[in-house]
Amino acid sequence: MDHKKVANEIVDAVGKDNFAAAAHCATRLRLVIKDEEKIKQDALDNNDDVKGTFKTNGQYQIIIGPGDVNNVYDELIKIANVSPVSTEELKNLAQDNKKFNPIMAFIKLLSDIFVPIIPALVAGGLLMALNNFLTSEGLFGPKALVETLPAIKGLSAMIQLMSAAPFIFMPILVGISAAKRFGANQYLGAALAMIMVSPDLIANHNWDIFGLAVSQNNYYYQVIPVLAAVYILSVIEKFLHKKLPSAVDFTFTPLISLMITGFLTFVVVGPVMRLLSDGITDGIVFIYGALGFVGTGIFGLLYSPIVLTGLHQSFPAIETQLISAFTQNHTGYGDFIFVVASMANVAQGAATFGIFALTKNKKMKGLSSSATVSALLGITEPALFGVNLKYKFPFFCALIGSGIAAALAGFMHVIAVSLGSAGFLGFLSINATSIPAYLLCEVVSFAVAFSLTYLYGKKNSAKMAAIDGVGAPIADDVVSSPVVADTDEIVMAPVSGVATDLSEVNDDVFSSKLMGEGGAIVPTDNNIYAPIAGTLSVVYETKHAYGIKGDDGIEVLIHLGIDTVNLKGEYFATNVTQGQHVNVGDQLGSFDINKIAAADYDTTVITAVTNTADFDNVARLGNGDIQHGEQFVMVTP
């Protein structure tokens, strides 16, 4: 390959002044482009040296291949006069370069803040539900259990205390999480929230500050006021860190930040945000009251699509207002959002169970069974993304089941009085007198979604079989293993683990086989071995990839993990150098799969025959558990 020529062709196609940033990994150029509409896509598509292009996460990636991409990159940054950056810096630039969507940005903001504190809210909610069992009349007889068994009154009182604390002092949890998200000191965020829920605040009392009457509002249970206050705190703190000399910054930045923000909170921010918070909650309650079961039915139809967008992460802020109004002030309708969410989650789980009953694909049976249990317990992402959206029709069957069950729940006035697991276990959070109705609605949701999915799948068995046959990666689901002839060459497994198909890899370049045919292994061992005998054409400084040009002409790329180039060699070690000759089974290096996984990276090891086009056939042999050195990929000359 003429690297300078290829770089010139790429620059001509992209536009010399159209590069915002450029980096590269083991196989591809990673670019941030100013205006992607100016790219001459046909020129890149028709370039024999470009193996493919695609866009992901704000990056425009051009696949060149191992051993050549770094040379093309070196020429490209000279020609385009673009400064080289690391892949991590490029990732950040790509995110900043994305078109701003304020709605999705706000949803992500709420998600980032609330997801870390959900365990505390769920624990408090389930404790509250447990106390409901102990104190509700008519559940186990005409009297509550605490009246029938006076000995448990103390236990009930203790549970009540523990259950109420996460909600009463929720502003402190939100303050800590929000401060982290906004880049402020988390302990200052906690301190500000503590001020807002201080027991010294007296309702209907004012401070007289130079003739200004400032209300001593207490912000128990509130979310939006503390979010706004912590954001202002973060802005002031960052400003002071930049302006104050280091000698006084440590002492006076926290003091001034907290003092100014606290004053603004009680004078302006708190009252205004409280009105906004109450207005949102009142508006939702009004819609629920006006539309009744029709409204809950529509909400049931829409809830799972809302989950796909991530908008549901904003609901806890509203639900806590509904719960506190109902349990503390005995106003409003209670938390009907939780009930609708439960119906939707159970419906998606039922549809997934329908696929479990229909599919002949062993991997899908395993996935659908675990995803069903997860969805019935309130976590639907595995069911949604792993099963139902793949087949499409189960997703829509679940929407019907969810809509019918949610409408029935609205008609029967089923409400929750605490947060909890939005699934079959959700009955623990339901108002005690409504538990039988809640369970009935859950059964309806499951029955409708499962029946529709199963009947449709049976009627369209050919469509089911076609989907089941796509990328089936293990054991009996793979068409009978190819027969190895004496003239075939074999690429051995470079690592021990569980073999899977390249189509299952969470990387578009490898899963679409743009880099060539081969296989993938989810590793159970840290050591990497040479799968063929040959010369190391590539040993990356980041130690996350190796290229071997085999003595028999096979060119193999071994890529350790997905996007692990961002780790810059951390957790990787290598025993070899570029240009060195290796034999089958020689140890190339190692990587710490536990630490890499803990850093939130996929550890899957890819083995790709990058010159697949030079051979009649390249096929994966290994299925399921495999040891390094066992036959993995067959290459037919």
Side-chain angles (χ1 to χ4, degrees):
M1 178 186 290
D2 187 334
H3 301 120
K4 188 172 183 178
K5 174 175 173 289
V6 174
N8 270 304
E9 291 169 346
I10 291 173
V11 171
D12 289 341
V14 173
K16 189 172 183 179
D17 299 324
N18 203 20
F19 292 87
H24 77 91
C25 59
T27 58
R28 67 203 92 158
L29 299 172
R30 296 172 177 244
L31 311 173
V32 175
I33 305 299
K34 296 176 182 177
D35 187 353
E36 292 181 1
E37 293 183 1
K38 292 182 179 179
I39 296 174
K40 300 173 185 175
Q41 188 62 46
D42 289 344
L44 294 172
D45 292 341
N46 295 325
N47 191 318
D48 292 337
D49 293 311
V50 173
K51 293 181 171 63
T53 65
F54 68 101
K55 291 178 283 187
T56 180
N57 296 324
Q59 298 179 28
Y60 185 81
Q61 301 191 5
I62 301 176
I63 302 118
I64 303 298
D68 292 311
V69 65
N70 51 323
N71 295 319
V72 172
Y73 174 76
D74 290 340
E75 296 294 339
L76 182 141
I77 59 175
K78 294 176 188 175
I79 299 166
N81 194 27
V82 57
S83 300
V85 297
S86 69
T87 52
E88 186 62 29
E89 291 171 327
L90 187 93
K91 182 180 178 181
N92 294 332
L93 286 168
Q95 292 298 322
D96 293 340
N97 201 49
K98 282 185 176 180
K99 292 182 179 178
F100 180 68
N101 184 327
I103 296 176
M104 294 308 296
F106 181 67
I107 291 168
K108 186 178 186 304
L109 173 71
L110 291 175
S111 174
D112 291 343
I113 292 170
F114 274 97
V115 167
I117 68 174
I118 281 177
L121 299 181
V122 169
L126 292 176
L127 284 168
M128 193 179 293
L130 176 59
N131 194 56
N132 290 339
F133 273 81
L134 300 177
T135 59
S136 295
E137 296 179 357
L139 190 60
F140 298 103
K143 293 182 179 181
L145 279 177
V146 291
E147 295 179 10
T148 306
L149 302 171
I152 66 172
K153 279 188 177 181
L155 175 63
S156 175
M158 181 183 290
I159 292 173
Q160 171 62 26
L161 173 71
M162 291 189 290
S163 68
F167 296 98
I168 294 174
F169 298 108
M170 184 170 58
I172 299 175
L173 299 175
V174 174
I176 295 170
S177 188
K180 181 178 180 180
R181 174 61 177 79
F182 293 138
N185 183 287
Q186 290 177 256
Y187 300 102
L188 282 180
L192 178 60
M194 290 174 189
I195 292 170
M196 297 175 71
V197 296
S198 171
D200 290 337
L201 295 169
I202 304 172
N204 301 319
H205 281 64
N206 297 327
W207 289 295
D208 186 349
I209 304 176
F210 299 111
L212 176 66
V214 179
S215 177
Q216 297 187 25
N217 285 327
N218 193 304
Y219 292 93
Y220 287 142
Y221 300 99
Q222 295 291 318
V223 171
I224 294 179
V226 73
L227 286 175
V230 173
Y231 175 74
I232 293 172
L233 173 74
S234 71
V235 172
I236 296 173
E237 184 189 359
K238 291 174 185 176
F239 174 80
L240 292 174
H241 279 313
K242 291 180 181 178
K243 298 298 181 182
L244 291 181
S246 57
V248 297
D249 179 36
F250 180 80
T251 301
F252 287 97
T253 291
L255 168 65
I256 298 171
S257 301
L258 202 57
M259 191 170 178
I260 294 176
T261 308
F263 180 79
L264 291 174
T265 296
F266 285 108
V267 174
V268 181
V269 178
V272 172
M273 290 297 106
R274 189 167 198 156
L275 285 174
L276 175 62
S277 177
D278 291 343
I280 293 172
T281 304
D282 291 344
I284 291 175
V285 169
F286 173 78
I287 293 172
Y288 175 71
L291 297 179
F293 72 93
V294 176
T296 56
I298 295 172
F299 194 11
L301 282 169
L302 297 177
Y303 188 84
S304 291
I306 289 172
V307 171
L308 299 181
T309 70
L311 181 59
H312 69 299
Q313 302 289 1
S314 64
F315 289 160
I318 301 170
E319 290 181 87
T320 52
Q321 302 298 309
L322 295 173
I323 291 169
S324 63
F326 186 83
T327 58
Q328 302 299 317
N329 306 322
H330 305 291
T331 59
Y333 294 97
D335 185 4
F336 53 87
I337 296 176
F338 177 88
V339 176
V340 172
S342 297
M343 300 305 139
N345 292 346
V346 166
Q348 292 295 337
T352 306
F353 188 62
I355 293 299
F356 170 80
L358 289 165
T359 185
K360 305 299 183 184
N361 183 310
K362 284 193 174 181
K363 182 186 179 184
M364 182 52 68
K365 270 198 178 294
L367 175 60
S368 58
S369 62
S370 61
T372 296
V373 174
S374 175
L376 295 181
L377 293 177
I379 306 298
T380 56
E381 281 77 4
L384 284 171
F385 296 105
V387 182
N388 294 350
L389 289 175
K390 176 181 178 180
Y391 291 88
K392 294 184 177 63
F393 72 87
F395 177 74
F396 294 101
C397 292
L399 297 189
I400 296 172
S402 172
I404 293 173
L408 181 61
F411 180 78
M412 301 173 76
H413 303 292
V414 179
I415 60 163
V417 293
S418 66
L419 294 178
S421 174
F424 269 123
L425 289 179
F427 73 89
L428 294 170
S429 300
I430 300 301
N431 195 26
T433 56
S434 298
I435 290 176
Y438 174 85
L439 293 175
L440 172 64
C441 294
E442 294 280 64
V443 170
V444 169
S445 180
F446 187 96
V448 172
F450 174 80
S451 299
L452 291 176
T453 301
Y454 187 80
L455 293 174
Y456 184 91
K458 274 291 186 184
K459 187 176 181 180
N460 296 271
S461 56
K463 183 184 293 187
M464 277 288 303
I467 298 173
D468 278 346
V470 175
I474 59 175
D476 298 340
D477 295 311
V478 176
V479 178
S480 56
S481 296
V483 177
V484 180
D486 293 338
T487 55
D488 291 333
E489 304 291 345
I490 301 297
V491 177
M492 303 301 181
V495 66
S496 300
V498 180
T500 185
D501 194 80
L502 278 181
S503 63
E504 300 295 314
V505 173
N506 189 27
D507 184 294
D508 290 339
V509 170
F510 293 114
S511 63
S512 60
K513 302 183 181 178
L514 287 171
M515 290 307 306
E517 293 282 353
I521 297 174
V522 179
T524 56
D525 183 33
N526 293 327
N527 297 319
I528 304 297
Y529 302 90
I532 60 172
T535 302
L536 288 160
S537 56
V538 176
V539 178
Y540 278 91
E541 292 182 6
T542 49
K543 308 165 191 172
H544 76 290
Y546 299 90
I548 304 177
K549 188 168 185 178
D551 296 339
D552 50 13
I554 301 173
E555 296 177 10
V556 173
L557 170 68
I558 307 163
H559 198 285
L560 313 182
I562 306 299
D563 285 334
T564 46
V565 63
N566 296 330
L567 291 171
K568 301 177 183 178
E570 190 173 9
Y571 312 133
F572 292 85
T574 187
N575 301 343
V576 293
T577 58
Q578 190 166 321
Q580 179 180 335
H581 187 275
V582 293
N583 294 312
V584 176
D586 287 351
Q587 185 173 350
L588 302 177
S590 62
F591 67 142
D592 193 320
I593 57 177
N594 293 325
K595 290 183 178 178
I596 293 170
D600 204 24
Y601 285 88
D602 188 331
T603 60
T604 301
V605 175
I606 294 102
T607 303
V609 178
T610 56
N611 61 337
T612 292
D614 295 342
F615 302 98
D616 286 345
N617 186 39
V618 176
R620 180 171 58 89
L621 296 171
N623 295 307
D625 292 338
I626 193 168
Q627 298 296 314
H628 75 83
E630 292 183 355
Q631 294 187 351
F632 186 40
V633 177
M634 178 191 75
V635 179
T636 302

